[in-house]
Amino acid sequence: MPARRVLPTEESADLLRLVRQIATEELLPLVATAEAEEDFPREVFRMLGRTGLLGLPYPEEYGGGGLAYETYLQVLEEIAAVWSSVGVGVSVHALSCFGLATAGTEEQRRAWLPDMLAGDLLGAYCLSEAHAGSDPAAMRTTAKRDGDDYVLDGAKAWTTHGGQADFYKVMARTSDDGARGISCFLVPADVAGLTSDPPEKKMGLTGSHTTTMRFDGVRVPAQRRLGEEGQGLKIALAGLDSGRLGIAAVATGLAQGALDHALAYARERMAFGQRILDHQGLAFVLADMEAAVHQARETTLHAARLKDAGLPFGREASIAKLTATDNAMKVTTDAVQVLGGAGYTRDFPVERYMREAKVMQIFEGTNQIQRMVIGRHLDKGPAGDITHHSTSH
């Protein structure tokens, strides 16, 4: 049963109907084979780009959709309910455009952003390193100034779209000044010295390639630095608040998809002379799954509405990411239980949903990190402000 939607405009409602149709007609027939064979669906991203779905939250003047985050996240949810690898990919692409859109010069934005938002260029995001995941300030990849260029050396781990992307948003150290010594660069994929390790052999999201990217004397013109030297970590962390909302939406969609499959099975499967849905013990499990999906959706959209209103939303983004991904893990686990032995086989997609949910508790900041972020916000005072703003877009 597709989720009920309340959209801010009729145009956004029409967009959601289109996305649901694309997900059903274009993505669903491909997902099982692509995930089983670990094929990266590059043509799917090109198709989504042509449809305008890769640049939705960015300004129309650069080729984006100019869409409210409240609506964009529901687009992500619809995609992820059918194919989580693609949902994650759309979110990561949006994150890879964030530094240019927010910290780039007008000249930089006009030069590169339209092709990125149109999907002609697929993006990736290089922040983590093997020894610096939750602590990005400990990164060692360097960018040393050499005339009109920077020369990058080092390695970036856990890069979504690694080896497949056309450009990489890269954080690298330009000085030894700790967190203030990191700068941000937009690196084209075809530059000399940039290579990708083979994709990681992952538990889930196997259609999404995750690799270590290696920088061996990679020369990047200084005009490809975004913002000033030393602003890189600030740019990265600002983007992560929005990225966490993207992952929260993907996790919510994944949970909705698992619930839909479990409910369909419970309506058809007979035991002791009646549908298993009619057994109270099983109906209560499904009811808890439904409540968990609603909780994830509403915490995510609440944070999105704060962002759309221009209000601080970092605390709420962490709450949404924590809630939605923990709930997705529980809902997908319960979906396997509803299907019983069948749920543990690859004849049904719920075991894949369960495997995919696990990593969502880890990337874009582990859920332990989200609890730390929320705790720090609590130390600054309660979120008790009362604010009025227009809900029109």
Side-chain angles (χ1 to χ4, degrees):
M1 178 184 297
R4 294 189 183 96
R5 301 287 186 193
V6 178
L7 280 301
T9 66
E10 185 56 39
E11 289 79 6
S12 56
D14 288 340
L15 173 64
L16 259 290
R17 294 184 192 103
L18 172 63
V19 172
R20 188 171 287 176
Q21 179 182 354
I22 290 172
T24 302
E25 296 178 3
E26 303 289 339
L27 304 188
L28 186 59
L30 303 176
V31 56
T33 299
E35 291 294 324
E37 297 180 0
E38 303 186 10
D39 286 339
F40 183 77
R42 184 64 181 91
E43 286 305 315
V44 167
F45 288 105
R46 288 193 178 93
M47 180 270 293
L48 294 177
R50 288 192 300 269
T51 314
L53 298 182
L54 291 189
L56 290 176
Y58 290 106
E60 292 178 277
E61 64 181 300
Y62 302 111
L67 211 61
Y69 237 72
E70 175 185 358
T71 303
Y72 162 64
L73 293 181
Q74 293 185 75
V75 168
L76 275 185
E77 188 187 329
E78 290 288 341
I79 293 171
V82 171
W83 197 347
S84 293
S85 289
V86 174
V88 168
V90 174
S91 180
V92 166
H93 177 77
L95 180 61
S96 70
C97 298
F98 182 88
L100 175 58
T102 60
T105 65
E106 183 64 16
E107 182 181 7
Q108 288 173 323
R109 286 195 291 264
R110 295 206 175 277
W112 304 317
L113 199 51
D115 285 343
M116 292 158 62
L117 298 183
D120 295 333
L121 301 178
L122 186 66
Y125 180 80
C126 295
L127 176 63
S128 295
E129 298 182 5
H131 58 279
S134 295
D135 181 17
M139 71 175 61
R140 297 173 189 160
T141 297
T142 59
K144 296 180 180 178
R145 188 70 185 248
D146 182 20
D148 292 333
D149 298 333
Y150 286 87
V151 179
L152 278 62
D153 288 283
K156 290 292 182 178
W158 310 116
T159 304
T160 300
H161 298 165
Q164 299 286 349
D166 300 295
F167 69 92
Y168 296 84
K169 176 184 172 185
V170 181
M171 309 302 156
R173 184 165 295 287
T174 46
S175 81
D176 295 327
D177 190 14
R180 292 180 294 275
I182 295 167
S183 301
C184 180
F185 301 88
L186 199 63
V187 180
D190 58 359
V191 67
L194 176 59
T195 58
S196 170
D197 284 1
E200 303 288 350
K201 305 300 285 186
K202 297 180 303 187
M203 176 179 175
L205 294 181
T206 49
S208 174
H209 286 189
T210 305
T211 73
T212 293
M213 299 301 300
R214 300 195 180 275
F215 299 80
D216 183 11
V218 171
R219 187 170 289 272
V220 179
Q223 66 185 26
R224 283 189 167 268
R225 188 190 70 221
L226 303 178
E228 300 300 321
E229 277 199 6
Q231 290 185 338
L233 194 58
K234 181 179 178 181
I235 293 169
L237 296 181
L240 283 179
D241 281 340
S242 298
R244 283 165 181 162
L245 290 185
I247 295 306
V250 169
T252 303
L254 173 65
Q256 182 71 61
L259 172 59
D260 292 345
H261 277 280
L263 181 58
Y265 186 86
R267 284 173 170 156
E268 297 293 331
R269 174 71 170 175
M270 302 294 292
F272 303 103
Q274 58 183 345
R275 303 179 308 166
I276 63 172
L277 179 59
D278 296 323
H279 294 273
Q280 187 181 72
L282 201 288
F284 280 9
V285 172
L286 289 161
D288 285 344
M289 293 165 70
E290 171 81 347
V293 173
H294 274 257
Q295 182 187 39
R297 180 174 298 119
E298 293 309 315
T299 53
T300 301
L301 293 181
H302 171 63
R305 289 166 187 141
L306 290 175
K307 175 176 167 58
D308 288 334
L311 299 172
F313 69 100
R315 176 196 331 228
E316 290 77 10
S318 286
I319 291 171
K321 197 273 182 182
L322 169 67
T323 301
T325 59
D326 278 356
N327 284 11
M329 191 72 249
K330 183 179 187 309
V331 168
T332 55
T333 302
D334 286 345
V336 172
Q337 191 72 19
V338 169
L339 271 69
Y344 199 66
T345 72
R346 296 193 178 182
D347 295 334
F348 295 86
V350 291
E351 61 81 29
R352 171 166 55 82
Y353 292 169
M354 181 178 171
R355 290 186 284 108
E356 291 171 342
K358 182 63 228 175
V359 75
M360 296 184 193
Q361 296 176 301
I362 297 170
F363 58 20
E364 298 286 2
T366 68
N367 284 5
Q368 287 69 34
I369 290 293
Q370 304 313 319
R371 290 177 170 91
M372 288 173 58
V373 170
I374 296 164
R376 287 172 187 155
H377 278 289
L378 289 173
D379 190 40
K380 297 175 185 176
D385 294 341
I386 298 173
T387 304
H388 171 264
H389 70 279
S390 171
T391 56
S392 63
H393 297 280

